[in-house]
Amino acid sequence: MKLEGFDQPFTKIAPYYDRLMSFVNYRSWVSYIERIILMHKIKEKVILDIACGTGVCLEMWFEKGYRVIGLDASEAMLEICRGRFSEASFKNGEVQLIQGDLRNFFLNAQVPVVTCLYDSLNYLLGEDELLSCFNAVYTNLTRKGIFVFDMNTIHALQDEWGNQIFERRDGPIHSIWDNTFDSTTHVSTLKLTINVYEDSKVVTFKEIHQEKAYALDVIKKISNDAGFDITLYRHLTFNPATELDTRILGIAVKP
């Protein structure tokens, strides 16, 4: 979606993204996924994070001794991510970053774990796009490999985000979040305005973000169509997911 005066998502926001998301406890997400990896008895310490963004989780996996691969469509976000790692880590193959599309990517070698976090899959606005992503992940996973992802639910986008405007202040960053929800398409449109106060100046930019929520049965069917066995949980728990949860986590296993 293009809107006059608004940039595409994850372009201008990249240098400020981590500050805006500082409230997210990524370390608890990584610990949770580590439990899932242990549950599935995966020994090889290699992980691919698609839609890796600025690489907060990649850096945590790297610190835990994993060889990490990050894929993202935004060069601006990847540029921030690169700064987390030394040149040596790239040269010796411990870290690899790829600018690419999560709907259609191919690695040189299959990996045992793929993650896609912080509702990145909701940015895929059609069932065909979501299936394309699952197919690409399936192709790049080893046998018995796992795809771990989270998604916002219809309840989250409709009732929690809804049709409302709110403002936040994060240090020098003032942000305005203007949400609208289409109950027919289940698509939430966010018009995000950022004002950054630096050196007695104000830098203003705007981005448009859209997320689509899918019914749990649709997520399961798409995953099954791609060849996976899948279980959906309430996020950060091992309780079965319901439509009343705001965020769910999926574990898709390649047989």
Side-chain angles (χ1 to χ4, degrees):
M1 178 180 185
K2 290 186 178 180
L3 198 64
E4 187 174 352
F6 286 81
D7 292 299
Q8 291 301 299
F10 306 112
T11 51
K12 300 289 182 63
I13 200 175
Y16 312 104
Y17 183 81
D18 288 340
R19 186 65 179 264
L20 284 171
M21 296 294 108
S22 61
F23 64 92
V24 181
N25 187 354
Y26 290 111
R27 198 163 295 280
S28 68
W29 291 34
V30 168
S31 296
Y32 175 48
I33 295 170
E34 193 167 36
R35 289 176 63 192
I36 294 169
I37 292 171
L38 291 172
M39 285 166 53
H40 287 82
K41 298 180 172 58
I42 294 173
K43 304 295 185 184
E44 187 183 7
K45 300 187 76 169
V46 180
I47 193 164
L48 164 67
D49 188 24
I50 59 176
C52 67
T54 61
V56 174
C57 290
L58 277 184
E59 185 177 27
M60 292 179 185
W61 289 117
F62 181 75
E63 291 170 351
K64 289 177 176 288
Y66 282 76
R67 180 167 70 84
V68 297
I69 306 166
L71 179 140
D72 201 281
S74 170
E75 178 58 36
M77 297 289 272
L78 287 175
E79 189 61 33
I80 304 297
C81 185
R82 286 189 189 94
R84 297 184 182 277
F85 305 99
S86 68
E87 285 298 321
S89 65
F90 289 101
K91 289 179 180 179
N92 62 26
E94 293 176 306
V95 180
Q96 181 183 4
L97 298 181
I98 303 167
Q99 184 177 14
D101 191 328
L102 54 75
R103 296 166 297 184
N104 181 22
F105 65 92
F106 188 76
L107 304 179
N108 292 329
Q110 292 177 321
V111 295
V113 180
V114 178
T115 59
C116 187
L117 304 178
Y118 211 62
D119 45 273
S120 295
L121 288 184
N122 290 105
Y123 277 79
L124 302 178
L125 302 182
E127 292 182 20
D128 56 336
E129 292 187 334
L130 191 58
L131 177 59
S132 292
C133 176
F134 273 92
N135 283 333
V137 172
Y138 188 93
T139 298
N140 288 281
L141 270 177
T142 57
R143 185 173 175 273
K144 300 297 183 183
I146 59 173
F147 178 32
V148 183
F149 62 90
D150 70 86
M151 297 182 77
N152 280 325
T153 62
I154 296 172
H155 166 62
L157 298 192
Q158 178 174 261
D159 303 317
E160 299 293 326
W161 294 14
N163 298 289
Q164 60 178 322
I165 300 174
F166 64 93
E167 300 184 32
R168 275 178 40 195
R169 282 198 176 273
D170 300 273
I173 304 171
H174 171 248
S175 54
I176 304 170
W177 307 65
D178 183 355
N179 287 294
T180 57
F181 180 76
D182 187 319
S183 58
T184 301
T185 62
H186 293 161
V187 171
S188 176
T189 299
L190 166 64
K191 291 183 284 187
L192 177 62
T193 301
I194 303 289
N195 299 296
V196 184
Y197 296 85
E198 293 180 326
D199 301 324
S200 301
K201 296 185 298 184
V202 182
V203 177
T204 299
F205 61 89
K206 300 179 179 182
E207 289 189 356
I208 192 85
H209 292 252
Q210 287 189 297
E211 291 195 16
K212 178 179 175 66
Y214 296 87
L216 302 190
D217 285 346
V218 172
I219 298 171
K220 290 176 182 177
K221 182 182 184 305
I222 289 173
S223 178
N224 292 154
D225 288 347
F228 287 104
D229 297 326
I230 189 169
T231 307
L232 299 179
Y233 296 104
R234 182 183 305 137
H235 188 53
L236 296 181
T237 78
F238 292 103
N239 299 320
T242 74
E243 295 289 2
L244 294 178
D245 294 322
T246 55
R247 185 181 298 276
I248 60 96
L249 181 121
I251 304 174
V253 181
K254 179 175 179 177

